Amino acid sequence: KLISSSLVRQAFTIKSRAKVNKGMPKIDIYLVRHGETTANRDEILQGHCDYPLTDLGILQAKEVGIGLKDISWDFIYCSDLPRAVHSLDLLLSENTNRSDNMAVVQTELIRELNFGVRESMRRGLSLKEAKEIFAKKNGIAVKDVVDTSESDSDVSIRQIKFLQTVKEEFLSRSSSGEMDRPFKVLCMTHGGFIRRFLRFQCNYPSPDSIKNCSVSILSMELEKSEGSESFDKYSLATEEDKVNIVYFKEE
């Protein structure tokens, strides 16, 4: 059961572009968008629907894999949508530190947004237009079309739940939480999700678009409330030169 964002934000602190304090446990989170799909190419809104990677998308995923090949990942998370899973497989195939016990957790918490009736339709359609198309296609009245789009609040809540998961996994793998290097977390996810993650969780202005297979790096610092023996808070930060990094160069 998801808890309300208001309650979560009472327990956790989120800061924008803050400098991390020395000696505090730190986690570097790499948010990577999947490679180009046929829907991206054809200007179709995907959401929870799925389309295969194009040849360009496959190349993009391999190129970002080469760009990140020397990183030894402590945790790897992936959206459970096939386009993300395929992109991650291609990325990891280039990793020089990959081991057989490198576990990948697929999770719906970092899925793309649910765009409701607009999914699989041309980008730019209004909800009214999408409902009219859906009604005609399914032989029902427009008034009977139910839109299941996620709200910003819904998206923010699952993003916060994901950050809690990362924090808890980190603490479960470290006896004291004090580490001599930041943990490296790889997350293969989606453009709409990343844009809102930057805005909702980092208070960072969203780019106009998140490019396919671009990388956005966030620093998560765990903190203790006054008088607390456990790390019960975190701060999350990023910087302009760490958002939308592209390793693939189109000719």
Side-chain angles (χ1 to χ4, degrees):
K1 183 179 179 180
L2 294 178
I3 55 179
S4 73
S5 58
S6 61
L7 290 177
V8 171
R9 290 180 187 279
Q10 290 175 17
F12 296 94
T13 302
I14 296 177
K15 299 177 182 177
S16 171
R17 286 164 280 183
K19 293 183 178 179
V20 293
N21 297 322
K22 292 182 179 180
M24 301 301 288
K26 291 180 281 291
I27 304 168
D28 288 340
I29 301 175
Y30 288 65
L31 298 177
V32 183
R33 186 187 178 194
H34 60 79
E36 182 195 66
T37 65
T38 55
N40 295 147
R41 180 196 63 199
D42 299 337
E43 293 292 313
I44 294 171
L45 193 62
Q46 291 174 105
H48 287 189
C49 295
D50 208 74
Y51 292 77
L53 299 183
T54 62
D55 290 343
L56 174 59
I58 291 170
L59 186 56
Q60 288 170 334
K62 290 181 178 180
E63 288 289 333
V64 73
I66 293 170
L68 303 176
K69 68 183 177 65
D70 294 326
I71 297 178
S72 181
W73 301 108
D74 294 293
F75 318 135
I76 302 174
Y77 297 95
C78 185
S79 159
D80 60 349
L81 295 176
R83 61 187 183 273
V85 175
H86 188 191
S87 297
L88 179 64
D89 286 343
L90 293 167
L91 183 158
L92 291 179
S93 70
E94 304 293 340
N95 191 273
T96 59
N97 292 303
R98 188 173 188 180
S99 62
D100 293 336
N101 61 354
M102 185 182 284
V104 175
V105 177
Q106 293 184 20
T107 173
E108 62 184 19
L109 292 177
I110 58 174
R111 272 186 180 186
E112 182 58 290
L113 281 62
N114 180 345
F115 294 113
V117 296
R118 292 180 296 151
E119 292 191 354
S120 293
M121 295 187 187
R122 177 174 50 83
R123 280 185 174 275
L125 287 178
S126 67
L127 180 58
K128 180 177 181 294
E129 291 170 326
K131 282 186 172 183
E132 290 171 350
I133 293 170
F134 186 91
K136 183 176 181 180
K137 181 179 178 180
N138 291 277
I140 60 175
V142 173
K143 66 179 178 62
D144 294 327
V145 176
V146 178
D147 182 53
T148 57
S149 299
E150 277 186 288
S151 67
D152 283 350
S153 176
D154 291 335
V155 176
S156 181
I157 287 171
R158 65 179 168 98
Q159 290 175 343
I160 292 170
K161 190 171 183 181
F162 173 67
L163 287 170
Q164 288 178 279
T165 299
V166 171
K167 168 183 169 286
E168 290 163 4
E169 182 66 22
F170 169 81
L171 292 175
S172 73
R173 294 200 192 183
S174 61
S175 58
S176 65
E178 301 291 343
M179 306 300 297
D180 59 359
R181 64 171 178 81
F183 263 37
K184 301 290 185 181
V185 179
L186 174 62
C187 303
M188 181 63 73
T189 180
H190 305 268
F193 182 90
I194 296 173
R195 289 183 69 241
R196 286 159 181 81
F197 200 100
L198 292 169
R199 187 165 82 245
F200 299 158
Q201 311 309 328
C202 297
N203 195 28
Y204 187 91
S206 295
D208 291 337
S209 67
I210 297 293
K211 298 176 182 178
N212 288 108
C213 280
S214 67
V215 182
S216 296
I217 307 172
L218 317 178
S219 294
M220 184 179 187
E221 179 186 343
L222 305 189
E223 303 171 350
K224 293 180 181 179
S225 298
E226 186 175 353
S228 175
E229 294 298 321
S230 61
F231 292 102
D232 57 346
K233 300 194 301 181
Y234 65 76
S235 61
L236 198 63
T238 191
E239 299 172 7
E240 186 175 356
D241 62 351
K242 292 185 176 180
V243 172
N244 232 355
I245 303 168
V246 177
Y247 290 89
F248 176 80
K249 306 295 183 185
E250 293 188 63
E251 296 180 359

